[in-house]
Amino acid sequence: METERADVLVIGAGLAGMTAAAEAAEAGRKVILLDQEGPQSLGGQAFWSFGGLFLVDSPEQRRMGVRDSRDLALRDWLGTAGFHRPEDRWPRAWAEAYVDFAAGEKRAWLRERGVRFFPVVGWAERGGHDASGPGNSVPRFHVAWGTGPALVEALERRLRAQQEAGRLRLLFRRRVDEIVMRAGAAAGAQGAILAPDEAPRGAPTNRRELGAFAVEAEAVILASGGVGGDLEKVRALWPERLGPAPRAMLSGVPAHVDGRGIEIAAAAGARLINRDRMWHYVEGVRNWAPIWPAHGIRILPGPSSMWFDAFGRRLEAPYLPGFDTLGTLERILRTGRDHSWFVLTQKIIRKEFALSGSEQNPDLTGRSWRMVARRAVGRRAPGPVEAFKEKGADFIVREDPRALVEAMNAMTGEDLLDPADMLEQIAARDAQLDNPFCKDAQIMAIRNARRYRGDRLIRTAPPHKLLDPANGPLIAVRLNILTRKTLGGIETDLQARALGADGAPMPGLFAAGEAAGFGGGGLHGARALEGTFLGGCIFSGRAAGRAAAGRS
């Protein structure tokens, strides 16, 4: 058996693990960072992300005319999280600490490491309930210039510097099967050495074992991710409050995101909490060029598309595009079907559709202002969006509205949609635009959105009639449930120490990132405010690395 030694062992080379390893190594500790995938997968899911980060009272917000504060952000967070369980003690403490971080040193910490931000702040999870309910009162979604790969690059530079200094070693194709416990304390880990595999990032890799390995360490940090890539595990953990688990789902993460590390921590004695809390999207479409099994992409919608359930009933407020993800998920699943529909125009798709993921945003990922400027001109949507419209299995384009509805029925193989009824609902909505005031909640929301400079410039189309041919063609998009994040996991205190069944810290064992519910076993509570996942990995990874190195 191959045996290695270090002061700190970090399991998982995603954003949380990279942050933890860098912090511990910069404190002078000898660190081993390992991952079951190859070096091409360094950065994990963060590489594929849109790079959205939750910041509070930032210069970018102020330049866009947004007035934000730590108190308003915390009120929004708590109204969204809905903490109410006895085990929410540490998650709530982590939530308050994270909001302080987002309103304090987070932006400066990222900028010191070379991260810059797109100047227009996005407004995700707008809520649509009352002032105390879920959702962001103001725009807080800051996109890293360069999206997810820019965050990975910033942390990789730190790791390479520590590698050159001799304080860090990177070991890939190491699958951890057990955390080694001695006298009640974590003392390392052991598992299998997997055969090399040059499959592209995100694609499935082999599980052929070449031998065994062990790492002895004074501290072990588990940062192995969540369960979103294992659809059966997602169904097994599905909460009753959201309705029946979907029969058909797409996967927003690679297949190796299977939650093994969480179960390994539990086998070592760590307490798992809030396993039924999860974050899945309702605007998933099948990737026409898939990388992993059941590969789905999320549409990041503006507020203007009409949303219909599988039977052609328009979704009521607050279940509008971009307002309440989990509320809309529950609303859709109550129909007994897993899919829903957007109906929109070319004018809407051109301005309002973005696709989540670094690879779907070459202008932002490639840091090209020239390409960004193209979003503001012409009738065509950004290239990746047009590619999905032309090649995606879930997109239908027609000039005639009745033909559109007939094609929607043909796509599902069921006559669930009544063309006359659908057209009447669209016509009734269009009639609300004949006056500058109206009773339609969605049109009121659109007009509110356009009062925000960022939405008016690049995110929300001017209100217009969908049935006016001048705004066409008409487009329908079948939307699928798309798995993404695990909101519960290993319970930790504010030093990221894993807690045992008795609630006491387990000596030498720490957890960070999605495996720890981004901190505490679920700092988001039951719902998320968006832009909080990458930052949660950084925040919890930083805490774990510092604590394992004896700095906190």
Side-chain angles (χ1 to χ4, degrees):
M1 177 183 290
E2 174 189 287
T3 302
E4 308 281 350
R5 290 175 177 79
D7 298 324
V8 178
L9 168 64
V10 181
I11 301 170
L15 203 61
M18 293 175 75
T19 304
E23 291 286 337
E26 287 169 0
R29 309 291 276 176
K30 297 288 187 180
V31 178
I32 288 177
L33 171 61
L34 58 80
D35 198 280
Q36 72 171 359
E37 299 304 309
Q40 68 271 35
S41 292
L42 184 66
Q45 296 176 60
F47 180 88
W48 300 106
S49 76
F50 195 42
L53 291 156
F54 178 90
L55 296 174
V56 178
D57 192 26
S58 70
E60 289 79 16
Q61 286 176 299
R62 293 193 291 272
R63 282 194 291 268
M64 298 302 295
V66 175
R67 288 181 287 184
D68 199 6
S69 69
R70 180 264 183 194
D71 290 345
L72 180 61
L74 182 60
R75 185 177 294 115
D76 285 349
W77 193 292
L78 297 179
T80 301
F83 294 123
H84 66 281
R85 297 173 174 175
E87 56 266 35
D88 281 337
R89 172 199 171 194
W90 286 114
R92 177 168 179 145
W94 271 89
E96 293 178 0
Y98 181 67
V99 172
D100 288 342
F101 180 59
E105 65 174 310
K106 180 179 178 181
R107 183 178 182 277
W109 189 90
L110 289 165
R111 282 183 61 85
E112 286 172 3
R113 287 150 183 81
V115 178
R116 298 296 182 265
F117 297 98
F118 187 63
V120 179
V121 182
W123 194 356
E125 285 298 296
R126 304 181 188 210
H129 300 262
D130 60 32
S132 299
N136 284 296
S137 297
V138 299
R140 298 190 176 106
F141 191 83
H142 296 67
V143 177
W145 185 233
T147 66
L151 296 173
V152 175
E153 289 168 12
L155 288 170
E156 185 176 358
R157 284 193 295 269
R158 297 178 67 197
L159 294 180
R160 298 304 180 192
Q162 295 305 311
Q163 195 175 28
E164 291 175 8
R167 288 187 288 268
L168 174 71
R169 294 184 62 201
L170 291 164
L171 300 179
F172 295 103
R173 302 297 287 163
R174 302 296 195 276
R175 187 192 68 210
V176 172
D177 296 325
E178 179 186 3
I179 295 172
V180 176
M181 304 293 294
R182 296 196 185 108
Q190 58 187 25
I193 301 173
L194 302 180
D197 197 315
E198 296 183 358
R201 178 191 287 269
T205 56
N206 74 72
R207 292 293 178 264
R208 184 161 59 90
E209 298 180 12
L210 298 182
F213 80 94
V215 178
E216 297 178 357
E218 298 172 8
V220 176
I221 301 173
L222 191 73
S224 55
V227 305
D230 186 330
L231 301 186
E232 288 309 309
K233 191 170 291 184
V234 169
R235 291 187 180 96
L237 295 171
W238 194 268
E240 291 184 6
R241 67 182 181 277
L242 292 180
R247 293 181 294 274
M249 289 187 285
L250 299 178
S251 179
V253 295
H256 65 256
V257 184
D258 59 5
R260 286 187 74 253
I262 298 174
E263 304 301 333
I264 289 167
R271 184 185 182 205
L272 307 184
I273 60 174
N274 298 321
R275 300 298 307 281
D276 63 331
R277 289 178 176 170
M278 51 185 70
W279 188 255
H280 306 307
Y281 291 113
V282 286
E283 311 100 337
V285 292
R286 286 171 287 179
N287 194 342
W288 62 270
I291 298 172
W292 54 79
H295 188 175
I297 296 291
R298 185 205 175 194
I299 295 170
L300 300 173
S304 301
S305 298
M306 290 189 73
W307 205 335
F308 296 91
D309 68 20
F311 296 93
R313 297 175 294 231
R314 185 182 180 190
L315 269 60
E316 66 280 4
Y319 310 125
L320 307 175
F323 276 70
D324 181 356
T325 294
L326 289 196
T328 307
L329 174 60
E330 181 180 358
R331 165 66 175 82
I332 290 168
L333 291 179
R334 283 204 308 266
T335 68
R337 302 288 173 141
D338 301 332
H339 73 279
S340 60
W341 296 94
F342 276 168
V343 173
L344 60 149
T345 63
Q346 179 65 26
K347 188 174 287 187
I348 291 173
I349 200 172
R350 189 197 76 76
K351 190 156 188 176
E352 296 196 6
F353 265 38
L355 298 171
S356 181
S358 55
E359 79 281 17
Q360 303 298 334
N361 294 275
D363 50 355
L364 299 174
T365 301
R367 290 171 262 211
S368 170
W369 286 111
R370 183 186 299 273
M371 292 179 67
V372 169
R374 292 178 189 163
R375 294 192 181 216
V377 297
R379 282 181 52 83
R380 290 177 61 82
V385 175
E386 287 289 343
F388 265 82
K389 191 183 82 174
E390 295 167 9
K391 304 176 184 179
D394 296 303
F395 286 73
I396 301 168
V397 182
R398 295 289 188 276
E399 296 287 349
D400 178 69
R402 181 172 289 272
L404 183 83
V405 180
E406 292 172 352
M408 293 162 71
N409 278 329
M411 179 177 283
T412 63
E414 299 179 281
D415 290 332
L416 301 180
L417 307 175
D418 182 327
D421 181 60
M422 290 276 292
L423 296 183
E424 172 54 30
Q425 291 182 74
I426 298 172
R429 176 262 184 207
D430 282 0
Q432 294 285 297
L433 293 171
D434 289 339
N435 290 286
F437 40 84
C438 70
K439 69 178 182 180
D440 188 279
Q442 184 172 14
I443 293 174
M444 289 190 281
I446 294 167
R447 287 171 173 159
N448 182 56
R450 285 181 59 82
R451 294 180 65 188
Y452 167 51
R453 191 183 312 153
D455 271 6
R456 188 170 66 253
L457 287 172
I458 67 168
R459 202 67 178 97
T460 303
H464 61 274
K465 294 187 177 184
L466 273 62
L467 295 179
D468 183 344
N471 299 316
L474 285 167
I475 302 163
V477 185
R478 180 175 57 183
L479 305 175
N480 307 275
I481 308 303
L482 177 71
T483 67
R484 189 58 63 87
K485 295 299 180 187
T486 304
L487 299 187
I490 302 164
E491 186 179 28
T492 62
D493 64 13
L494 286 176
Q495 291 181 286
R497 297 181 296 183
L499 306 182
D502 60 356
M506 297 178 65
L509 185 60
F510 302 81
E514 198 171 347
F518 302 93
L523 64 77
H524 295 95
R527 305 183 187 205
L529 284 176
E530 286 288 23
T532 56
F533 303 125
L534 297 173
C537 287
I538 290 169
F539 185 57
S540 60
R542 192 177 81 145
R546 292 181 175 186
R551 291 174 56 189
S552 60

